[in-house]
Structures are given as C-alpha cells and as structure tokens.
Amino acid sequence: GLLELAVASGVAAWATWATLLMPGFRRVPLRLQVPYLPSSPQQVANTLALLRGRSGKTVDLGSGDGRLVVEAYKQGLRPAIGFELNPWLLCLANYRAWRAGYHGKVSFLKEDLWKVDLSSCCNVIVFLAPSVNRTLAAKLLAELPDEAWVVSGRFPFPSWPATRTLGQGLDQVWAYDMKEVRRVVQSSAEGSPV
C-alpha cells in the first residue's frame, strides 16, 4: 500500500513537472535554468518599496506567475511587462492580471530574456539565480540607460554596489542604480592590471 502510494506520488510529481514546468526550460542551457519559485508577499512588498517614487517602463525578467508585474502596475509603474518562457506560467500570469482587472493593461510575453532589448527600460526586476545573475550583469550593463534601476530578489549581483536594500533572509531585495554601477565597474576596470 505505502509503496504503491509512493510510486504513484512520484509519477504524479514527474508528470506535473514534465507537463507544466519543463516547457519553459527546454531551450535554456542547464546553467541558466531557474526553477519557478513564486515570490512571497514580503518579497513583492520589499521590491515595490524599493521602486516607490520611480516611473517608466518596468520589466520582470522571468516573470513566473506575474505577481510582481501586476503589483508594479498597481503602484503606477507603466508600462509593466513580464518576460517568461513557460507557457503555463504565462497563462497563470494572464489569469492573475484578469482577476486583478488589468487584462490588456499589463503584458506578459513569451520571450527569452537574453534576446529582449532592455534599452528603453527604467526599472528591471530579476528574481533569478546566482549563475544567471553573473551572466545577466553584462547584458544589463550593456543595454540599460544610466537612469535605470535593477531590483534583484533572493540573490544580489555580487560585484555591484547596492544603492538600497530591504528585508532579511529570503525576503531581502537589492536595488542598483545603473549610473553608480557603471561608475564602480569602470573604476575597477581602470584600476586592474591589463
């Protein structure tokens, strides 16, 4: 009885993974894959507290179920756009926007974050993994304007100076002013031997 239950549970878990979550990972190299972990209410609150008073185009890279994009729109950050590869999570995000009354006001796009042009973004939200953040840092430095801010949840950008941080433990988020990040990165590059 217990063995059958364990096997059935394992098969059900695998089927859920293969059907709902795996489609978004198929085209992404293993080292850049990030499992879906929904943001906690406190992570959402901390992220939006760091963006309070800002304006302009706001994007969430790897937006998952869309909760950060919907809350950003509620706070007045417009346009608010989420980029996600997993089609099931895109459906969930669109449902969340519809339930909140924002269907057609926020956008969720099935696009690879590595191929998205970020040059017009004022605010970028990333709740990814350390391996992704290290690679993503170069893209953000190359594409974002000086006025942009990046807010990272769960894991900071280790070589960037945080402008502000809020929360503790898993709820901690870090905000980075790209103008300051560029200044520090350029100073480091000039000071290092060639």
Side-chain angles (χ1 to χ4, degrees), residues 13-15 27 29 38 54 71 82 85 99 106 113 121 138 145-146 163:
W14 176 83
R27 296 181 307 208
R54 295 197 44 85
E71 291 301 320
L85 282 177
R99 263 190 60 202
V106 297
L113 67 89
C121 296
D146 280 347
T163 303

Side-chain angles (χ1 to χ4, degrees), residues 56-68:
K57 183 177 182 179
T58 301
V59 299
D60 184 3
L61 302 177
S63 58
D65 64 12
R67 66 185 68 202
L68 283 161

Side-chain angles (χ1 to χ4, degrees), residues 7-17:
V7 169
S9 297
V11 168
W14 176 83
T16 300
W17 166 255

Side-chain angles (χ1 to χ4, degrees), residues 120-191:
S120 64
C121 296
C122 297
N123 308 293
V124 176
I125 301 168
V126 293
F127 272 65
L128 299 171
S131 61
V132 178
N133 282 2
R134 281 191 294 277
T135 307
L136 184 60
K139 177 178 174 64
L140 297 173
L141 277 168
E143 295 182 17
L144 288 176
D146 280 347
E147 303 76 38
W149 272 36
V150 175
V151 177
S152 180
R154 295 191 185 108
F155 302 103
F157 286 89
S159 60
W160 288 7
T163 303
R164 291 183 55 206
T165 186
L166 188 62
Q168 299 290 323
L170 290 177
D171 293 327
Q172 187 170 9
V173 294
W174 296 263
Y176 303 93
D177 180 330
M178 289 309 294
K179 190 173 194 175
E180 179 62 16
V181 168
R182 279 195 181 90
R183 188 186 66 74
V184 169
V185 168
Q186 288 170 351
S187 294
S188 296
E190 291 169 2

